[in-house]
Amino acid sequence: MIYFDKVTKIYSDDTVALEDVTLKIEPKEFVSIVGHSGAGKTTLIKMILAEDKPTKGSVLFESVNVHKLKDKHVPEYRRRFGTVFQDFRLIPGKTVFENIAFAMEAAGRSDDEIASDVPHVLDLVDLGRKIWSFPRELSGGERQRVAIARAIVNQPDVIIADEPTGNLDPVNTYEIVQILKKINDLGTTVVLTTHNKGVVENIGKRVITMEKGRLVRDDKEGRYAI
Ligand code: ADP
């Protein structure tokens, strides 16, 4: 479980990015966080990933206080999350296979595991035929599917997808959301952020709405509400 206990984040220039945020995300949930640009979505994600510290309050992951982790334990903690971003973040000079293998090597996985798991995750995102392509040879939607394959290959507990569809057209957006739903159906928690109401309208899962650093709505099978 991810638990935000009255979290406030004020940046050094006095910007209040999060204000008194209390939030519980259960294992295996699919949660969308929607709000305009500047609402605080990325700041909230950074708190989960221990990339920044709250000014007030605390963030717990399975009862561990995330911001009290010793530096040496942070990389291990972050491996429990798979991350997907708007700009894909693939390594341009590496093939699809190598991009995913690289993430597995970093997690200490063996060559045998890499040889068997990379094709498997690519099948899951329906991209097996592109295994030897370079990112520049792929469409935006395909690049994002590679990024998702890379995010899940080390079997994280949670997938964090921060504006994953921000650079995609509606057809590819729909496909990415369907893939995230499939991953969630297989048992992984998914936290998705977006500023675009169309993205979450038909997911049929929990939607949290943020405005100016505050949570203003929390809908069980929600619709976007700004
Ligand atoms: P969103 O992801 O919803 O667009 P952000 O979390 O990126 O929102 O930003 C929330 C607010 O915090 C915005 O006003 C933004 O300008 C500000 N902000 C974000 N990062 C920083 C930073 N490192 N320093 C100062 N202000 C920041």
Side-chain angles (χ1 to χ4, degrees), residues 11 13 15 17 36-43:
Y11 285 111
D13 62 356
T15 304
H36 297 305
S37 177
K41 307 180 294 295
T42 298
T43 302

Short mmCIF file of all heavy atoms in Angstrom, two decimals, residues 11 13 15 17 36-43, ligand 1:
data_model
loop_
_atom_site.label_atom_id
_atom_site.label_comp_id
_atom_site.label_asym_id
_atom_site.label_seq_id
_atom_site.Cartn_x
_atom_site.Cartn_y
_atom_site.Cartn_z
N TYR A 11 8.18 24.16 -2.67
CA TYR A 11 9.51 24.27 -3.27
C TYR A 11 10.21 25.52 -2.72
O TYR A 11 9.58 26.39 -2.11
CB TYR A 11 9.40 24.32 -4.80
CG TYR A 11 9.09 22.96 -5.41
CD1 TYR A 11 7.86 22.70 -6.00
CD2 TYR A 11 10.03 21.93 -5.37
CE1 TYR A 11 7.57 21.46 -6.56
CE2 TYR A 11 9.76 20.69 -5.93
CZ TYR A 11 8.53 20.45 -6.52
OH TYR A 11 8.26 19.22 -7.05
N ASP A 13 11.17 28.14 -3.94
CA ASP A 13 10.69 29.47 -4.37
C ASP A 13 9.28 29.75 -3.84
O ASP A 13 8.58 30.61 -4.36
CB ASP A 13 10.71 29.57 -5.90
CG ASP A 13 9.78 28.56 -6.56
OD1 ASP A 13 9.17 27.74 -5.83
OD2 ASP A 13 9.65 28.59 -7.79
N THR A 15 6.62 27.95 -4.06
CA THR A 15 5.50 27.32 -4.77
C THR A 15 4.96 26.16 -3.93
O THR A 15 5.72 25.28 -3.52
CB THR A 15 5.98 26.73 -6.11
OG1 THR A 15 6.58 27.76 -6.87
CG2 THR A 15 4.81 26.12 -6.89
N ALA A 17 3.30 22.98 -4.16
CA ALA A 17 2.99 22.00 -5.20
C ALA A 17 2.01 20.94 -4.69
O ALA A 17 1.20 20.42 -5.45
CB ALA A 17 4.26 21.35 -5.70
N HIS A 36 -4.99 19.71 -14.33
CA HIS A 36 -4.31 20.58 -15.29
C HIS A 36 -2.82 20.58 -15.05
O HIS A 36 -2.35 20.21 -13.96
CB HIS A 36 -4.84 22.01 -15.17
CG HIS A 36 -6.30 22.14 -15.48
ND1 HIS A 36 -6.85 21.71 -16.67
CD2 HIS A 36 -7.33 22.64 -14.76
CE1 HIS A 36 -8.14 21.96 -16.66
NE2 HIS A 36 -8.46 22.51 -15.52
N SER A 37 -2.09 21.05 -16.02
CA SER A 37 -0.65 21.25 -15.86
C SER A 37 -0.40 22.14 -14.65
O SER A 37 -1.09 23.15 -14.46
CB SER A 37 -0.13 21.89 -17.15
OG SER A 37 1.22 22.16 -17.00
N GLY A 38 0.53 21.75 -13.80
CA GLY A 38 0.84 22.54 -12.61
C GLY A 38 0.04 22.14 -11.38
O GLY A 38 0.23 22.69 -10.30
N ALA A 39 -0.86 21.16 -11.52
CA ALA A 39 -1.72 20.76 -10.39
C ALA A 39 -0.95 20.02 -9.30
O ALA A 39 -1.43 19.91 -8.17
CB ALA A 39 -2.88 19.91 -10.90
N GLY A 40 0.21 19.47 -9.66
CA GLY A 40 1.00 18.77 -8.64
C GLY A 40 1.19 17.28 -8.88
O GLY A 40 1.74 16.56 -8.04
N LYS A 41 0.78 16.81 -10.06
CA LYS A 41 0.82 15.36 -10.34
C LYS A 41 2.25 14.81 -10.31
O LYS A 41 2.52 13.78 -9.68
CB LYS A 41 0.17 15.07 -11.71
CG LYS A 41 -1.23 15.65 -11.85
CD LYS A 41 -1.84 15.35 -13.20
CE LYS A 41 -1.16 15.99 -14.39
NZ LYS A 41 -1.22 17.48 -14.43
N THR A 42 3.15 15.51 -11.00
CA THR A 42 4.52 15.00 -11.06
C THR A 42 5.19 15.08 -9.69
O THR A 42 5.95 14.18 -9.31
CB THR A 42 5.32 15.79 -12.11
OG1 THR A 42 4.71 15.56 -13.38
CG2 THR A 42 6.77 15.35 -12.18
N THR A 43 4.86 16.11 -8.94
CA THR A 43 5.41 16.22 -7.58
C THR A 43 4.96 15.03 -6.73
O THR A 43 5.75 14.43 -6.00
CB THR A 43 4.98 17.55 -6.95
OG1 THR A 43 5.44 18.63 -7.78
CG2 THR A 43 5.54 17.72 -5.55
P1 ADP B 1 1.87 18.70 -12.88
O1 ADP B 1 2.69 17.45 -12.97
O2 ADP B 1 0.46 18.47 -12.44
O3 ADP B 1 1.94 19.54 -14.12
P2 ADP B 1 3.96 19.61 -11.07
O4 ADP B 1 3.99 18.70 -9.91
O5 ADP B 1 4.99 19.45 -12.12
O6 ADP B 1 2.49 19.61 -11.70
O7 ADP B 1 4.06 21.11 -10.54
C1 ADP B 1 3.26 21.62 -9.47
C2 ADP B 1 3.72 23.05 -9.16
O8 ADP B 1 5.03 23.03 -8.61
C3 ADP B 1 3.79 23.96 -10.37
O9 ADP B 1 3.42 25.26 -9.97
C4 ADP B 1 5.25 23.93 -10.77
O10 ADP B 1 5.63 25.10 -11.43
C5 ADP B 1 5.92 23.79 -9.42
N1 ADP B 1 7.20 23.07 -9.44
C6 ADP B 1 7.43 21.83 -9.89
N2 ADP B 1 8.72 21.47 -9.73
C7 ADP B 1 9.32 22.54 -9.14
C8 ADP B 1 10.66 22.81 -8.69
N3 ADP B 1 11.62 21.89 -8.81
N4 ADP B 1 10.91 24.02 -8.15
C9 ADP B 1 9.93 24.95 -8.01
N5 ADP B 1 8.66 24.76 -8.40
C10 ADP B 1 8.35 23.57 -8.95
#
